[in-house]
Amino acid sequence: MSAEPLRYEKLAGELAGLIAGGVLNQGERLPSVRRLAQERRLSVSTVVQAMRQLEERGLVEARPQSGYFVRPAQMQRSEPQARSTPDSPMPVDISERLVHVLEAGARPGVAPLSAALPANELLPIAALHRLYAGVARRHPHLLESGSHVHMDQPALVRQLVRRSLAWGGPLPAEEFIIVNSCTEALNLCLRAVTRPGDTVAVESPAYYLMLQLLETLGLKALEIPCDPRTGMSVEALELATRNGGVAACLLVANGSNPLGSLMPDDKKRRLATLTAARGIPVIEDDIYGDLHLGNDRPWPVKAFDKTGNVMLCSSFSKCLSPSLRIGFVAAGRHRRAVALQKTITSGGTNPLTQMVLAEYLESGAVDRHLRQLRRCYRLQVEAMQAAVSRYFPAATRIAQPQAGYVLWIELPEHIDTTQLHAKALRERLSYVPGELFSPSGMYRNCLRLNCGNPHTPEIDDAIRRLGLIFGGGEAVAEAGRG
Amino acid sequence: MSAEPLRYEKLAGELAGLIAGGVLNQGERLPSVRRLAQERRLSVSTVVQAMRQLEERGLVEARPQSGYFVRPAQMQRSEPQARSTPDSPMPVDISERLVHVLEAGARPGVAPLSAALPANELLPIAALHRLYAGVARRHPHLLESGSHVHMDQPALVRQLVRRSLAWGGPLPAEEFIIVNSCTEALNLCLRAVTRPGDTVAVESPAYYLMLQLLETLGLKALEIPCDPRTGMSVEALELATRNGGVAACLLVANGSNPLGSLMPDDKKRRLATLTAARGIPVIEDDIYGDLHLGNDRPWPVKAFDKTGNVMLCSSFSKCLSPSLRIGFVAAGRHRRAVALQKTITSGGTNPLTQMVLAEYLESGAVDRHLRQLRRCYRLQVEAMQAAVSRYFPAATRIAQPQAGYVLWIELPEHIDTTQLHAKALRERLSYVPGELFSPSGMYRNCLRLNCGNPHTPEIDDAIRRLGLIFGGGEAVAEAGRG
């Protein structure tokens, strides 16, 4: 790859500069695509690509039939910045505290802001129930006895292979293993390529469940700094692995949790090349890949892997139903080792549910549903950003997620979200404190909010009251009035 | 407990002596229950209890409307004997070989003698499919989004509590955690109470999957000798744990796999007391408890546990369908730790399938089905014993399983079942070689056969041909003719 920026990147950079410099004001309409193409002697598709990049960076927004507009300033609140991380791997010890946070957050009457769960009304629950009834009648042999070796349904694997065309595939059918959830997939992959005591490179901040997995498997975590927009620093990973000693790399390239970052293709390619060259297996969680907030389905790191080094894990819990309990791994050259772990971890996976999922994916309804869902999540994330911007302290930094539906917030330095969590709970408010995303306890002034629900007045009020707890501007005024 | 034998035990002992001494001959009818009661001045129920014990020991059999008869000699072939085991715990390394054995055994056209899978025609497949269709229609909210914390279905837990009345219960509803399989249950329990490097006491011979679990979790196995009829030696366990250093005890008290042994209640009580006193958590696999081959549902060790020390694991894979993928743990005082492992291992368990199982268990059909199934398994095991007796070398010892449907065979010392396995496979025959049931490679002259299928002429012929490979009597004659 040349280091020279591509034409569209150059144009995007120029326009971003105009926005940053105030030459283009918030809410202002940008010159039309046609005009820019003419003026700059670029093709229309290059200009469109530049606009998409600006959209993905949250700087402009498309309005139907009207063109592109500079996004309002409240959307442009400062974003969190990459932080430097400890040099040494360390054991993880967050599970006890995390369980408390998630259990408390799931109590009836508590605002649903902690676990990353979608609202029911966004999911195709009725269609799935109908399919269960139909599949149970139309395939009367699915529950027959059989070796777990033969339990994976070819019909489901076919659909996954078909869908993998959008991920830079097709991936070979032989690579797939059907499992009970994305969590189980991550688990199996980790067990397949590590031994207790090993070190695993993770994002900083990292998805807490990944940290819990390391904790329970007796693995150490090495935090790699992340850019809030573009994810894990490949340079930092390169430096951290130059002397060996890292058994695997565990990451979410598309819609990291909690940052919502999205690795650009070039970075993915470099990461795939580096890890392959150094023999470090990559375990990639792509559960938010279908829930990107930009225009195109981003490819996973797996798409840039030429050596079978990347294990791609995902499920349909975030977009169809968290209750289905079907996930998968495309395990590359680790297939045999992962399949063995599956056998001794839980045996096979329910074939009837597999067939329900296969038929739903085949129906075509899934793509309509995903388009609609992405629109909802995008609106919900934006509404949450606006609410946080309104109610939280002025110096608050707000992430600009590129995929998924969680929002990472950085409060002023002196605010301790772990300490304030109990107070929030007493007021039936919840969130996940930032320190639970780091084995070294970084991010104590950060928190993660779930945006899986429509932004109702109740949720807006919950954010207002959270703002009060964190000493937010409007909050202070509110308190004064009250 | 008094060491004095109870009345029925005394009577059973006397009658067993008469059989062993040839006073009562094979096939001969025993004195009627009424007559024995009169003559010995015992209550009818005491005599019946003695007869049941003799039945469970395989010495007599009940024939409807005719009374009790001494079982034919071929059923009385010598049984395998308890062997002494290594003093030290050791790491496990069987997975690679085992996967090969099970994969090869599952190939189309290979006689189904390796994995412990039941025949389809024995299972209520159609009823389960009907329930899926009905449940999907009648409970339209099951697949809705929700925290895994709330995914366990109270209706299923209620049925499990009800069923636990037959296990010395009722167990409290709060103890139950619904999981994807008994395998997953064992996994979670092990992870909840051990750390990599720890030592776990196991039966010798032990179920290979348990050994694989230890292997993958970096745990060491300490083999405890087992009596082929009554299971793990509590004395040996007492000795082996007198200096501490054992993190858990993993066993199948009802229908151990491969021996089919069944621990008497008194032994279970002593084991529960010993492990509680020494603070050694017990992980009990009770998957064959409902598939006992005697008259009464045996209680698990859990029934004798007063301290919450025993984690009872099971599923319905062996009696309803291996494809359901629902198991459970009643985790005692380890509940919280096991629930945490469940969350980070695979999240919740599909609620629709849970409801299908709950409705099946509620219907009452399950008890009729289990009675019928036990009869089938008993006949199949007996037929397999007879076939092995007929075709295998004269000095072969055959286990007398008390529960489950696998059969453990001990061949003459010089026969190496691992070495001969490749030869068997070439002839489309399969079994599990004995050494895979021991981390120290004991039992190289043993093998396990699956009796989950009706004893068809094809299966009988497969056993005949296996006999040939092992140099059996009829086999030699056959070879001479061929």
Side-chain angles (χ1 to χ4, degrees), chain B residues 229-241:
Chain B
R229 283 293 179 100
T230 65
M232 185 183 274
S233 162
V234 180
E235 292 69 28
L237 182 67
E238 184 155 19
L239 207 64
T241 58

Side-chain angles (χ1 to χ4, degrees), chain A residues 312-323:
Chain A
L312 182 75
C313 304
S314 192
S315 88
F316 297 86
S317 287
K318 304 293 183 186
C319 60
L320 299 188
S321 160
S323 294

Side-chain angles (χ1 to χ4, degrees), chain A residues 95-96 99-100 102-103 106-108 115 117-120 123 125-126 128-130 132-137 139-151 180-181 183-185 187 191 195-196 209 212-213 215-218 320-325 336 340-353, chain B residues 95-96 99-100 102-103 106-108 115 117-120 123 125-126 128-130 132-137 139-151 180-181 183-185 187 191 195-196 209 212-213 215-218 320-325 336 340-353:
Chain A
S95 267
E96 275 296 322
V99 167
H100 169 69
L102 294 181
E103 279 183 1
R107 277 187 215 133
L117 286 169
N120 280 320
L123 303 177
I125 304 297
L128 292 169
H129 273 261
R130 274 195 305 275
Y132 258 108
V135 164
R137 275 194 316 267
H139 301 276
H141 301 292
L142 284 171
L143 292 178
E144 283 188 352
S145 176
S147 165
H148 61 82
V149 177
H150 303 305
M151 224 173 261
N180 285 304
S181 64
T183 303
E184 185 174 66
N187 216 307
R191 276 164 57 157
R195 295 186 154 271
L209 192 129
Q212 283 182 292
L213 279 178
E215 178 175 341
T216 192
L217 295 174
L320 299 188
S321 160
S323 294
L324 271 183
R325 316 315 298 154
R336 202 178 158 78
L340 169 61
Q341 291 301 327
K342 170 62 176 159
T343 299
I344 63 182
T345 297
S346 65
T349 302
N350 185 301
L352 203 148
T353 302
Chain B
S95 268
E96 275 296 322
V99 168
H100 169 70
L102 295 181
E103 280 183 359
R107 278 187 216 133
L117 286 169
N120 280 321
L123 304 177
I125 304 297
L128 292 170
H129 274 261
R130 273 195 305 275
Y132 258 107
V135 165
R137 274 194 315 267
H139 301 276
H141 301 291
L142 284 171
L143 292 178
E144 283 187 352
S145 177
S147 165
H148 60 82
V149 176
H150 302 305
M151 226 174 261
N180 286 302
S181 65
T183 303
E184 185 173 67
N187 217 307
R191 276 165 55 159
R195 296 186 154 270
L209 192 129
Q212 284 182 291
L213 279 178
E215 179 175 342
T216 193
L217 295 174
L320 300 189
S321 160
S323 294
L324 272 184
R325 315 316 298 156
R336 200 177 158 78
L340 168 61
Q341 290 301 326
K342 170 62 176 160
T343 299
I344 63 181
T345 297
S346 65
T349 301
N350 185 301
L352 203 149
T353 301

